[in-house]
Amino acid sequence: MGITKNEAQDIGCFSRMIRIAVVAFPLTTAMAGPPESRPVLRSARPEFSTPPAVQREFRGLWVASVGNIDWPSKAGLSSEKQQAELVALLDNAVAMRLNAVLLQVRPSCDALYPSKLEPWSEYLSGTMGVAPAPEYDPLKFAVREAHQRGLELHAWFNPFRARYTLARSPSAASHVTKTHPQWIRRYGNLEWLDPGLPQVQEHSLSVVKDVLQRYDVDAIHLDDYFYPYPDSSLKNPEFPDQKTYETYRTQGGNLNRSHWRRDNVNRFVESLYRMVKTEKPWVKVGISPFGIWRPDNPRGIRGLDAYESLAADARLWLQQGWLDYVAPQLYWRIDSKEQGFQPLLRWWTEQNPLNRHVWPGMASANLSKNWIPEEISHQIALTRAQRGCSGHIHWGSNVLFNQAKTFDQWLGKQCYPEDALVPPSPWLDSAVPDAPIVRIQSLKGRPTVTWSTPKENSTPSLWVVQIQTGKSWTTRILPAAERQYTLPRSAQQTNPTAVAITPVSRAGIMGRPVISVLASGNEKKKTPSPGPVKPKVPRAIKD
């Protein structure tokens, strides 16, 4: 089931590009003299309109560290080169108008940050337990650099995988396979923490809590690995947790083995959510499950049964409100007969009674294989047309940035012509941020807007800067630390008529914009908006 380019345009993928047409003339006033010699101003207070609504869309990017898939590009790079690679990755994300990066910080019971609970990841230095040289804190660096660019940073954890097939060095003495071998179950060439053991759940939760307390991350993110994917090549493809299950039964448990496994995962997910909200209520919790909950859901869908095989009841987590967003991995083409992108997307949005965010994952990495760029742009169009979906996440950052020209042509210019804010999460915090104090001055002969917060502790997460030129508005989204914006020149040498500055809270709630009306390039009057913007439930983007 495919759609044409024209159809994609009709449903909003190829958003209108709003060209910046702003000039920065020196601030001047009318000359003194006889009335007939003075410049004629059309209006002492030019006509201005209310700033348009800012586009809301989650535009995420997974950055995998396991096996050096995305970052670092290879193990053993110097700290300077690692940092340079990450900065380039973040700069590319900003240039493509993405607004969030999901960085894998715990691939296999190891850490991409200094930790007293788990050893340094081998994907940094090449040897597990050895810090990058010279030593630095990659997660602290990533959070700082992301926030300086106005990007959210989601810390991505694998809760139960202990050793991966792409392991590059022996386990460090401080690795869980050495310190707690009784927790480990070998499954094929994988080593796995047994989710049925209370000590295992406590350990993984303590790892997440440690990161949550020490770093200013915007979200805690888990992927689809709870119990391992079945390996049919094994003589016994059953996950080896029989002894753990027998202990459960002897202690009075009455669930069958399949339901018991799901209960293990369900309790972990619920505990994770409650722990995060206790520590930092504004931090989001998101999970990216396998894209098919159960075969024939919706009718005609075929594939792995994640509910049974991975013990992942993602529908329950969404319905119970144990997630702030769900990102089902819809890694199939639109025209796939048994795993169609569109019917699966619609199904996931229909399982969401609490109106949490639905941001599907897309296999943008397949652009390096046999997919054409239009496949991804058409999928973005479908997410925007689907009620209840308010964003998407790209898998394959190395492919996107290695093919930057292709991505920019088909996605950056056609699907992301303007910046977008992450959709609001009013159930986390509905407080409206304070309006800023705004002034306009001339710096080096160009009009420059500066602003400040009325209270020291009222710093928002982002600023929205909107500039009116003629009847058109242009929107820019700036990081919290920026408090100044110089109006850019336009080829048409047209003066701006108004500038609006709006604060945005950590939960995505927009405050009251302060509108500065300009006359002949001069600041004339600051006009407050009618009132705060009421947060809305995430809905499909309408371009």
Side-chain angles (χ1 to χ4, degrees), residues 186-199:
R186 179 171 290 278
Y187 187 73
N189 54 6
L190 297 171
E191 290 181 286
W192 213 266
L193 291 173
D194 188 341
L197 294 173
Q199 308 95 306

Side-chain angles (χ1 to χ4, degrees), residues 235-312:
K235 184 177 180 180
N236 181 9
E238 187 75 22
F239 182 71
D241 58 356
Q242 181 63 31
K243 290 185 178 180
T244 310
Y245 178 62
E246 290 175 354
T247 299
Y248 160 79
R249 291 302 298 263
T250 59
Q251 293 175 346
N254 56 10
L255 296 176
N256 65 34
R257 196 168 177 181
S258 177
H259 282 85
W260 166 74
R261 287 176 176 168
R262 272 189 300 279
D263 184 62
N264 293 333
V265 176
N266 291 342
R267 286 185 291 103
F268 178 80
V269 171
E270 181 182 11
S271 297
L272 172 70
Y273 191 81
R274 296 188 185 282
M275 181 271 290
V276 171
K277 301 311 170 186
T278 298
E279 294 294 325
K280 293 182 177 180
W282 62 89
V283 173
K284 292 186 284 287
V285 175
I287 295 182
S288 179
F290 183 71
I292 299 172
W293 175 66
R294 302 209 73 179
D296 221 30
N297 286 270
R299 186 176 299 278
I301 292 296
R302 301 288 181 269
L304 178 79
D305 187 341
Y307 176 89
E308 184 66 32
S309 299
L310 307 180

